[in-house]
Amino acid sequence: MTDATPTVVLVHGAFADASSFARVIPELLADGLKVLAPAVPNRSLTGDAAYIASVVRAIPGPVVLVGHSYGGAVITVAGAEDNVKALVYLAGYALEEGESLGELQGRFPDSELASALVYTPFPVEGSDEHGTDVTVEIDRFPAIFAADVDPDLARVLAVSQRPLAGAAFAEAAPVAAWKTKPSWGLVSSSDHTINPDVERYGYERAGMTTVEVDSSHLVMLAHPDKVADLIREAVKNLAAE
């Protein structure tokens, strides 16, 4: 591989981990692409973005940054790194500069997720105050998050969630990388985790190339071919430059 070969960095969202890309990664590797799927701390938007930015900076050559769900908010900030050449959003949040997840979601009716969230305190090192972890009710997770994923796998995912710290919902994005980077967006039109109109609104505002897939929120596991095709489109765009 030369440094001119793009590295696709896959950024997972809340209530999931990098294994959510398990069906997409083999397709990208078969194309000869370099792929990295780091673990996102899911502690704060700016902290998570800073971590992903540090991963990106360590990669020689161009990067296509892919974000699912909350990972979309993360790549909106981390995507400002110089070697990020394209952004791909999968059922994700495309925040405006100065906008929080809560503000963007608040413009639209709640999805089914809102009534299924569980709030659990966790200790914060060096502080007497507790943080709050947010997860999804285990029994409701499959229907809300993974309705068209294999039921046995959905049950595993439900009990192995990676929580998101509640503070991340209120934190404003300090930058919106889509303003300066070519971007693609995938709307999961049968999404019960994020209102699909939240996805559409963010993508349209950013002027993204957008596709819609009749999918649950976990589109990477339900329709990996459609996800891989969109990432390939972003990669081909780099090659044409």
Side-chain angles (χ1 to χ4, degrees):
M1 296 283 180
T2 67
D3 285 351
T5 302
T7 298
V8 178
V9 177
L10 303 168
V11 181
H12 67 79
F15 323 130
D17 59 26
S19 68
S20 57
F21 291 104
R23 297 189 67 195
V24 174
I25 290 171
E27 295 210 26
L28 301 178
L29 292 175
D31 289 347
L33 293 168
K34 294 178 283 190
V35 180
L36 194 60
V40 183
N42 282 5
R43 298 295 83 187
S44 71
L45 177 57
T46 54
D48 294 339
Y51 175 72
I52 294 300
S54 74
V55 172
V56 167
R57 283 195 300 273
I59 296 171
V63 168
V64 174
L65 200 51
V66 180
H68 172 246
S69 190
Y70 167 69
V74 174
I75 71 168
T76 296
V77 181
E81 290 298 312
D82 290 342
N83 61 328
V84 174
K85 303 302 181 185
L87 303 170
V88 180
Y89 291 77
L90 306 173
Y93 294 102
L95 299 180
E96 173 62 278
E97 183 176 340
E99 182 178 60
S100 70
L101 292 173
E103 288 171 338
L104 176 54
Q105 285 198 145
R107 297 191 179 102
F108 300 88
D110 284 341
S111 69
E112 290 180 37
L113 175 71
S115 66
L117 294 176
V118 177
Y119 302 92
T120 307
F122 68 87
V124 177
E125 186 176 358
S127 173
D128 293 333
E129 301 292 324
H130 280 81
T132 301
D133 264 342
V134 184
T135 54
V136 183
E137 289 179 17
I138 290 173
D139 289 347
R140 296 181 64 189
F141 181 99
I144 291 174
F145 215 73
D148 51 358
V149 173
D150 176 82
D152 290 337
L153 176 57
R155 284 193 289 271
V156 172
L157 297 172
V159 300
S160 56
Q161 297 177 48
R162 190 179 185 100
L164 178 65
F169 289 98
E171 199 172 351
V175 65
W178 50 257
K179 291 188 172 184
T180 57
K181 310 290 174 83
S183 304
W184 286 258
L186 184 152
V187 175
S188 288
S189 60
S190 295
D191 201 330
H192 295 287
T193 298
I194 299 176
N195 183 332
D197 285 337
V198 174
E199 301 164 23
R200 294 184 184 105
Y201 174 82
Y203 301 168
E204 290 169 6
R205 178 173 62 181
M208 293 185 198
T209 301
T210 304
V211 299
E212 299 221 3
V213 178
D214 183 10
S215 176
S216 70
H217 191 58
L218 278 178
V219 64
M220 310 89 70
L221 288 171
H223 301 278
D225 53 336
K226 302 286 181 63
V227 171
D229 283 346
L230 190 62
I231 295 170
R232 289 180 182 120
E233 187 176 332
V235 170
K236 287 177 184 175
N237 183 72
L238 297 193
E241 289 182 350

